[in-house]
Amino acid sequence: GAGVSQSPSNKVTEKGKDVELRCDPISGHTALYWYRQSLGQGLEFLIYFQGNSAPDKSGLPSDRFSAERTGGSVSTLTIQRTQQEDSAVYLCASSLGQRNTIYFGEGSWLTVV
Amino acid sequence: SQQGEEDPQALSIQEGENATMNCSYKTSINNLQWYRQNSGRGLVHLILIRSNEREKHSGRLRVTLDTSKKSSSLLITASRAADTASYFCATDAGTDKLIFGTGTRLQVFP
């Protein structure tokens, strides 16, 4: 595709519910990243996928967070039993691989009420 | 933890003035990148400088890198109101993943 696509753009959910956020990377990009950004803050690394290698999950804040990448393309970030502190913009990015420019989607704004 | 720290956290200038933002990082890097973010949504890549480069230009942007001091600077010359945004540096910290700094919020007044 032309760029990284994320859905939904905005999601309001009740505390305790599960949410799924989707990312379609740029076609051909082998690397995929998820970041989280709270209001007025910097980007917090969550998880990184590179090709068929085991993902780097070192940034996931708790076991309520998980992500998968099917067929080396689309990725889904799942947050179980959402909490109010999970409210943030979740940004996905992709690149041709390590040491290359990464391209961001517009993000999914999650609000937990 | 953050790899990069930008300085200043916020900067306000008049149109036509130059804006300088600094980034410090902690570990060895392969490259350092600068990104711009409008309105808290997607980031736009501005420039990448590799560890063996000292300076790079792109239009009104000038980036320097000092690996001995583990620091980089982004200079925007002849700023415009449209340059108002948050600017982030990002480093690979010698690994595959990109770690972002805390950002500088730039406000350019007409």
Side-chain angles (χ1 to χ4, degrees):
Chain A
V4 178
S5 178
Q6 291 188 245
S7 61
S9 295
N10 293 282
K11 174 74 175 178
V12 179
T13 189
E14 292 181 351
K15 178 180 174 181
K17 300 282 189 182
D18 297 352
V19 295
E20 286 189 351
L21 307 176
R22 176 188 168 102
C23 174
D24 281 276
I26 294 172
S27 178
H29 279 194
T30 58
L32 187 146
Y33 303 76
W34 282 99
Y35 292 88
R36 176 170 74 173
Q37 186 178 32
S38 301
L39 190 63
Q41 301 298 311
L43 276 73
E44 176 187 3
F45 168 80
L46 296 178
I47 189 169
Y48 165 68
F49 296 89
Q50 172 58 53
N52 295 321
S53 302
D56 180 343
K57 304 179 181 181
S58 60
L60 295 179
S62 77
D63 59 8
R64 296 187 295 105
F65 288 72
S66 63
E68 63 177 22
R69 188 179 185 191
T70 54
S73 181
V74 172
S75 177
T76 302
L77 176 68
T78 301
I79 309 172
Q80 296 178 310
R81 305 180 302 281
T82 53
Q83 303 295 314
Q84 287 186 329
E85 60 262 31
D86 299 335
S87 296
V89 176
Y90 289 82
L91 292 159
C92 177
S94 70
S95 75
L96 285 170
Q98 58 179 300
R99 307 178 191 178
N100 282 275
T101 300
I102 67 172
Y103 298 88
F104 281 83
E106 288 299 303
S108 293
W109 193 292
L110 175 66
T111 302
V112 182
V113 297
Chain B
S1 62
Q2 297 288 354
Q3 158 73 332
E5 297 286 338
E6 280 92 338
D7 168 56
Q9 291 188 339
L11 179 62
S12 295
I13 59 175
Q14 295 292 130
E15 265 192 328
E17 294 181 339
N18 296 340
T20 299
M21 290 160 269
N22 302 297
C23 168
S24 60
Y25 57 91
K26 299 174 185 175
T27 64
S28 297
I29 60 171
N30 295 306
N31 63 60
L32 184 144
Q33 304 184 41
W34 283 91
Y35 286 81
R36 167 195 168 122
Q37 184 181 39
N38 291 340
S39 304
R41 299 305 287 240
L43 279 74
V44 175
H45 178 258
L46 295 177
I47 198 164
L48 180 154
I49 186 165
R50 302 198 184 278
S51 60
N52 61 353
E53 298 176 309
R54 292 297 168 257
E55 188 170 312
K56 206 160 183 181
H57 297 255
S58 177
R60 293 183 296 112
L61 305 181
R62 172 177 168 255
V63 168
T64 62
L65 178 63
D66 187 334
T67 53
S68 67
K69 295 181 179 178
K70 292 187 170 59
S71 67
S72 174
S73 67
L74 170 66
L75 169 68
I76 304 175
T77 60
S79 63
R80 305 167 182 168
D83 294 329
T84 294
S86 291
Y87 292 82
F88 294 88
C89 69
T91 59
D92 58 13
T95 66
D96 293 345
K97 64 192 181 191
L98 209 58
I99 304 298
F100 284 78
T102 51
T104 292
R105 292 182 300 280
L106 174 66
Q107 175 78 50
V108 182
F109 292 98

